Amino acid sequence: MKGGLESELPYGCALRMNMKVMRRVENVKMQNILAVGWKTHVLKYVQVPSGKILRAGKVLRNAILSRAPHMIRDRKYHLKTYRQCCVGTEMVDWQMQHSSCVRSRLQAVAMWQVLMEEGVLCHVDREPSFQDKYLFYRFLDDEEEETSLPDEEERRQSQDELQDTLVLLSQMGPDAYMRMILRKRPSERTEDDLEIICEELLHIKALAHLSTTVKRELMGVLIFESHAKAGTVLFSQGEEGTSWYIILKGSVNVVIYGKGVVCTLHEGDDFGKLALVNDAPRAASIVLREDNCHFLRVDKEDFNRILRDVEANTVRLKEHGQDVLVLEKSLSSCRSDNHGVMSGTPEKILEHLLEMMRMDSQFSASDAALDDFVLMHCVFMPNIQLCPVLMASPGSEQEKLDYALNNKRRVIRLVVRWATLHGDQLQEEDTSVVFLEVRCYPIFVGENTVDFPKSTHPFLFKVFCCDHTYITIRALVSASVGEVLHAVADKMGSVEDLLLVRLSSAGGESTPLPEQEGPSAGSLSSFEWMSTKDVAYHLTRYDWELFNCVHELELIYHIFGRQNVKKSTVNLDLFLKRFNEIQFWVITEVCLCPQLSKRVQLLKKFIKIASHCKEHRNLNAFFAIVMGLSNPAVSRLNQTWEKLPSKFKKFYGEFENLMDPSRNHRVYRLMVAKLEPPIIPFMPLLIKDMTFTHEGNKTFIENLVNFEKMVRF
């Protein structure tokens, strides 16, 4: 067990602490259960703290008594004495001074809230939330009249465990802080609170198909509800529907009379909406499948109000009795013209965005939507459809001159963005080439605009040689054979006898060559003399070159299916392949090393390389190395891991925590949010997020383009 945080407390010590918590529960139970109005279901129980959190509370108390004993003392307020307590603001100050992982007062509040939730720390008047104010808080060990001070051994041990304790609380803090916000009455939530809720719940499956406006409205009315015991019936079949539920933690069984359990719902799933929409009785019973389940609840009154508000703020443009454009006004905006495009036909969406384009230098929401259209139009309006529409946009001879001129300028600005983003890829289609060179060039000259931007976005190519090796070169898609040969010659240092040929295969089985079967021995003899910093630096340089060549359009093609858009994703494929190459390189080197002591040295070296990659913000290589070390072929080498020094075990444990997939990879996302660009991201997770958005939202709704989905990309 590492750093003492995982170790079991002595039985007697744990029992005494648990009895203190149970007495505290008796004192506050009626306050929690009989809370006013909406709070009735919010906090039905106080969980007995785990040994890990009990130990964390003891470590922090001992550290405060060692470094700042004046913080825990008897205090007077309004002629009343509160014994052995701390002040909230001083606790936040102390935590920020003694931990490098605490970067804001808000984060420190969240860490103290972890202890509050489990009863290890409490407010002297039993308030449920920790606040950065002049309020009094008391540790569990100070509840009794006579409290003992830690001896020298306890103080030394607490000092050793302090940083690990603070790291643990920093990882648990965001969840605790969000629950604290959700326990507030909706009317008490601030704009900052709503932003935090929105960010934390953005990737919940049950909310994926909802519009951004509806999500923001829901954030203001969501109520946190928790239940302690498996087998609890949340509601029964035939009852009136009063709430819609989303599972935040745990799972439930759906039970129908006469059929038993028909399915099981897990984290991210929802239930209970049908009874609210149809104003009908519950169609099934919901029974908790496990202990300690957490839910988000939306009550019927709020649910119906949001639906009414959304419909009242929706504008539908019809032609021939059919919807052709659906706009929605932001419920949080007072401007009458602040409508976003929800869906529509491609032509009407483009027409609306051009009309809303600002001709001055100020950036507006409509400009952002226009950029989204330029990026995503290949999904629903390929160039062969887009170019004719753009040519028709400036207007006919009968239109007023000023209207036609303004419209022409808007189209020109759109085309500049379009050509800048898509660049050389436009040259692959005859339609776009004719449009740009024959039809648009005279317009640009007449408007005295700048030259048409041409992209020089390169691609990475592998040119294979006769000995089955290959050379990687950087070239444009439109590069000629001569340019490719020249680039290869620069790499090989020779221009003689170079011939570029095209190979094709008729299929069938093929026997791999000896050099294609992989190594039979590791490269430790040369690898062990390499500096870990140099290896991480060169990994990052090469990975950055690969990543920098990935065009954002390649991600779109990959997610929506390259067979549908008929475009190349060669750079993205190379970058994804690079992740696997690094991962299997780590596995191969470790598994091919026959000596135990050498394998231990290899583990240390790879852990150091991963650490340096993280410092270089190369998260793709960092995760590839860590996942290589966690592969079963490596992780099963028990004797090797036992010989690894505790310092490296601690580093590796921290790296594994960053890979924790719970709560939609929350730990990773929090880490990335603190990094300054440029960053080489963990590409598999980025693709997972985009796939989640794609599969959770239809591209077309009732034959109209779901443009809000495009905006989310």
Side-chain angles (χ1 to χ4, degrees):
M1 300 298 181
K2 350 181 244 188
L5 292 177
E6 304 284 345
S7 59
E8 293 286 338
L9 288 172
Y11 174 76
C13 177
L15 180 61
R16 287 194 299 274
M17 289 184 175
N18 286 340
M19 290 303 295
K20 293 178 186 177
V21 175
M22 295 308 294
R23 286 197 295 272
R24 180 180 296 169
V25 170
E26 287 297 321
N27 293 334
V28 301
K29 183 168 63 175
M30 294 307 295
Q31 297 177 14
N32 290 332
I33 294 179
L34 299 179
V36 178
W38 72 278
K39 277 192 173 182
T40 303
H41 298 288
V42 171
L43 189 59
K44 289 193 173 180
Y45 72 102
V46 176
Q47 184 182 4
V48 174
S50 64
K52 190 159 49 174
I53 301 303
L54 281 171
R55 181 61 190 167
K58 183 175 283 292
V59 166
L60 288 175
R61 176 180 178 270
N62 292 344
I64 290 175
L65 288 172
S66 299
R67 301 186 181 189
H70 64 279
M71 286 178 56
I72 302 179
R73 67 177 191 270
D74 294 348
R75 299 175 186 270
K76 287 187 177 181
Y77 186 74
H78 286 185
L79 303 180
K80 183 177 180 180
T81 301
Y82 298 90
R83 55 177 309 279
Q84 294 299 98
C85 55
C86 307
V87 174
T89 51
E90 293 179 1
M91 297 171 76
V92 172
D93 291 338
W94 182 88
Q95 204 168 49
M96 295 191 68
Q97 291 171 4
H98 292 86
S99 176
S100 58
C101 67
V102 182
R103 301 182 180 232
S104 68
R105 300 187 72 84
L106 196 65
Q107 185 183 4
V109 169
M111 293 164 67
W112 288 117
Q113 181 63 25
V114 175
L115 303 183
M116 289 279 291
E117 283 194 341
E118 300 217 20
V120 178
L121 181 73
C122 72
H123 183 260
V124 292
D125 286 334
R126 309 307 183 196
E127 290 293 330
S129 301
F130 185 90
Q131 298 185 58
D132 185 11
K133 296 181 179 179
Y134 190 79
L135 300 174
F136 298 159
Y137 297 93
R138 185 181 295 125
F139 283 98
L140 179 62
D141 284 349
D142 293 319
E143 285 289 308
E144 297 181 355
E145 292 293 331
E146 296 183 2
T147 57
S148 59
L149 296 175
D151 56 29
E152 283 302 316
E153 176 62 23
E154 288 179 322
R155 289 173 186 264
R156 184 193 62 77
Q157 189 175 3
S158 295
Q159 292 299 328
D160 293 340
E161 298 176 15
L162 178 60
Q163 291 306 315
D164 287 340
T165 298
L166 293 172
V167 170
L168 171 71
L169 295 179
S170 69
Q171 294 171 351
M172 301 178 68
D175 281 345
Y177 192 78
M178 188 181 72
R179 289 191 292 271
M180 182 177 75
I181 293 173
L182 291 170
R183 287 188 177 106
K184 294 181 181 180
R185 292 185 179 90
S187 60
E188 296 175 351
R189 295 173 189 166
T190 64
E191 284 298 321
D192 290 339
D193 290 341
L194 296 180
E195 285 296 327
I196 291 173
I197 297 174
C198 191
E199 290 174 7
E200 295 292 336
L201 306 182
L202 186 63
H203 296 281
I204 287 184
K205 182 168 59 175
L207 304 176
H209 66 285
L210 300 177
S211 70
T212 304
T213 303
V214 173
K215 283 182 184 177
R216 291 196 63 83
E217 286 298 299
L218 285 175
M219 297 304 114
V221 299
L222 285 172
I223 297 172
F224 179 78
E225 181 173 329
S226 59
H227 296 273
K229 296 297 181 183
T232 302
V233 179
L234 204 57
F235 56 73
S236 299
Q237 185 175 346
E239 291 182 356
E240 179 187 357
T242 59
S243 300
W244 170 39
Y245 291 88
I246 300 169
I247 304 175
L248 201 57
K249 176 185 175 185
S251 59
V252 300
N253 286 328
V254 180
V255 182
I256 296 179
Y257 295 148
K259 295 183 179 180
V261 177
V262 294
C263 69
T264 299
L265 303 176
H266 301 275
E267 179 180 320
D269 293 328
D270 68 307
F271 55 88
K273 189 194 302 182
L274 190 62
L276 304 188
V277 173
N278 297 334
D279 196 21
R282 297 292 192 189
S285 300
I286 299 294
V287 182
L288 268 63
R289 189 168 173 264
E290 54 189 281
D291 292 342
N292 194 25
C293 289
H294 296 171
F295 303 93
L296 297 174
R297 192 182 83 231
V298 179
D299 291 334
K300 185 175 183 178
E301 181 179 346
D302 294 321
F303 182 86
N304 291 334
R305 176 184 57 78
I306 292 173
L307 288 183
R308 289 194 303 268
D309 289 347
V310 168
E311 189 59 33
N313 285 277
T314 300
V315 178
R316 299 178 183 274
L317 178 63
K318 295 180 179 290
E319 289 184 0
H320 307 294
Q322 299 292 327
D323 289 341
V324 293
L325 187 66
V326 180
L327 307 175
E328 184 178 84
K329 180 183 177 183
S330 173
L331 300 182
S332 59
S333 175
C334 298
R335 290 179 51 187
S336 60
D337 60 341
N338 189 13
H339 287 78
V341 178
M342 305 300 295
S343 60
T345 63
E347 295 80 8
K348 284 298 178 182
I349 292 174
L350 177 57
E351 179 184 326
H352 175 78
L353 294 177
L354 288 173
E355 288 178 357
M356 298 301 295
M357 180 191 293
R358 296 180 66 100
M359 298 307 295
D360 53 28
S361 59
Q362 294 184 4
F363 185 84
S364 66
S366 60
D367 291 325
L370 195 61
D371 288 338
D372 294 324
F373 181 93
V374 169
L375 176 65
M376 300 295 300
H377 77 86
C378 59
V379 175
F380 55 88
M381 193 180 193
N383 291 338
I384 196 171
Q385 297 179 21
L386 176 63
C387 293
V389 174
L390 290 177
M391 289 308 303
S393 293
S396 63
E397 295 295 335
Q398 289 75 27
E399 292 178 307
K400 294 182 180 179
L401 182 60
D402 57 345
Y403 176 80
L405 183 60
N406 285 333
N407 231 357
K408 183 186 294 185
R409 287 172 175 165
R410 291 188 178 98
V411 172
I412 290 171
R413 291 187 62 178
L414 170 64
V415 172
V416 170
R417 297 184 189 184
W418 179 52
T420 302
L421 178 64
H422 292 259
D424 291 328
Q425 298 187 30
L426 297 178
Q427 299 179 17
E428 300 174 15
E429 297 184 22
D430 293 339
T431 304
S432 55
V433 170
V434 171
F435 173 74
L436 293 174
E437 294 184 356
V438 178
R439 305 299 296 275
C440 278
Y441 182 74
I443 297 177
F444 275 76
V445 173
E447 292 292 327
N448 296 320
T449 59
V450 297
D451 293 336
F452 231 175
K454 289 192 175 181
S455 171
T456 57
H457 188 70
F459 282 78
L460 292 179
F461 292 94
K462 287 184 176 179
V463 181
F464 287 83
C465 304
C466 294
D467 59 355
H468 306 290
T469 61
Y470 65 84
I471 296 171
T472 304
I473 64 170
R474 186 193 292 263
L476 299 175
V477 175
S478 56
S480 65
V481 171
E483 291 171 335
V484 172
L485 288 175
H486 184 71
V488 172
D490 286 343
K491 286 276 184 123
M492 297 181 65
S494 172
V495 295
E496 298 180 358
D497 301 327
L498 289 182
L499 182 65
L500 192 65
V501 298
R502 177 180 179 183
L503 297 179
S504 60
S505 172
E509 296 184 2
S510 59
T511 303
L513 298 169
E515 58 267 29
Q516 294 175 316
E517 293 182 346
S520 57
S523 57
L524 181 63
S525 57
S526 58
F527 182 49
E528 65 180 340
W529 298 106
M530 297 180 186
S531 164
T532 55
K533 289 185 178 181
D534 289 344
V535 173
Y537 172 77
H538 287 289
L539 279 174
T540 302
R541 283 288 302 270
Y542 185 69
D543 289 352
W544 176 253
E545 184 178 6
L546 289 174
F547 176 67
N548 202 34
C549 287
V550 178
H551 197 287
E552 53 260 57
L553 287 169
E554 293 187 60
L555 289 167
I556 305 300
Y557 302 154
H558 180 86
I559 299 301
F560 283 87
R562 67 195 78 185
Q563 69 279 2
N564 297 327
V565 292
K566 296 182 174 62
K567 298 290 185 178
S568 171
T569 59
V570 59
N571 288 331
L572 178 60
D573 294 340
L574 284 174
F575 189 66
L576 292 174
K577 184 179 179 181
R578 176 66 174 172
F579 183 90
N580 293 331
E581 288 175 348
I582 296 175
Q583 182 180 356
F584 287 115
W585 167 58
V586 173
I587 299 169
T588 302
E589 291 293 341
V590 175
C591 291
L592 290 180
C593 183
Q595 300 178 21
L596 177 61
S597 60
K598 296 291 186 181
R599 285 200 302 272
V600 174
Q601 293 301 315
L602 269 177
L603 290 184
K604 292 169 60 177
K605 201 170 192 72
F606 279 124
I607 291 173
K608 286 183 179 179
I609 293 172
S611 178
H612 294 315
C613 285
K614 182 170 174 285
E615 291 174 3
H616 290 308
R617 301 187 291 278
N618 182 2
L619 303 183
N620 203 63
F622 167 75
F623 277 101
I625 294 172
V626 175
M627 291 182 73
L629 294 175
S630 63
N631 185 277
V634 177
S635 62
R636 68 179 178 82
L637 302 174
N638 296 328
Q639 295 181 18
T640 306
W641 287 98
E642 287 173 1
K643 296 288 185 180
L644 190 68
S646 58
K647 173 185 175 182
F648 288 90
K649 288 181 180 178
K650 177 182 175 182
F651 285 149
Y652 179 67
E654 293 174 357
F655 296 163
E656 280 195 313
N657 287 335
L658 294 175
M659 293 173 53
D660 180 12
S662 63
R663 298 301 301 277
N664 194 28
H665 298 270
R666 176 193 301 277
V667 180
Y668 167 79
R669 298 182 193 280
L670 291 175
M671 177 192 68
V672 172
K674 298 172 185 175
L675 297 178
E676 295 290 334
I679 299 170
I680 303 177
F682 180 34
M683 185 59 76
L685 183 57
L686 179 61
I687 290 179
K688 174 193 169 187
D689 289 344
M690 296 182 70
T691 303
F692 177 88
T693 302
H694 172 50
E695 296 184 350
N697 300 271
K698 295 180 179 179
T699 303
F700 295 92
I701 301 175
E702 299 178 353
N703 296 323
L704 300 179
V705 176
N706 181 7
F707 191 69
E708 191 182 27
K709 172 181 176 177
M710 309 302 154
V711 172
R712 292 178 188 177
F713 277 92

